[in-house]
């Protein structure tokens, strides 16, 4: 059963970045059917700690860093 994206998961993503002291300069959310994706432009590099914290957010299926 697919996990539906929710506004709550976006709040958790923002909290992860805030707790890590990373500023989100831009954030885009798009969805289709039961799935959605979020792209974040960060003002600093995403650390392995941030990636693990995002992966732990309920509803997140995959985290990918694009440099």
């Amino acid at each position: 059963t697919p996990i539906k994206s929710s506004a709550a998961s976006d709040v958790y993503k923002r909290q992860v970045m805030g707790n890590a002291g990373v500023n989100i300069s831009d954030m885009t959310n798009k969805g289709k059917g039961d799935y959605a994706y979020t792209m974040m432009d960060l003002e600093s590099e995403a650390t392995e700690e941030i990636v693990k914290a995002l992966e732990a957010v309920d509803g997140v299926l995959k985290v990918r860093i694009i440099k």
Side-chain angles (χ1 to χ4, degrees):
T1 305
I3 299 171
K4 294 187 178 191
S5 176
S6 69
S9 69
D10 290 337
V11 169
Y12 293 128
K13 292 170 199 166
R14 290 176 190 269
Q15 286 177 346
V16 165
M17 294 303 166
N19 290 342
V22 175
N23 188 45
I24 301 170
S25 60
D26 194 20
M27 185 166 152
T28 302
N29 294 296
K30 297 287 181 180
K32 185 173 184 179
D34 289 336
Y35 294 97
Y37 66 88
T38 301
M39 292 190 311
M40 292 182 272
D41 288 328
L42 307 178
E43 291 189 359
S44 58
E45 190 169 329
T47 64
E48 186 65 29
E49 179 182 281
I50 291 171
V51 171
K52 287 181 182 187
L54 287 171
E55 289 173 336
V57 173
D58 188 38
V60 172
L61 302 177
K62 184 176 182 177
V63 176
R64 189 170 94 175
I65 305 298
I66 301 172
K67 295 183 179 185

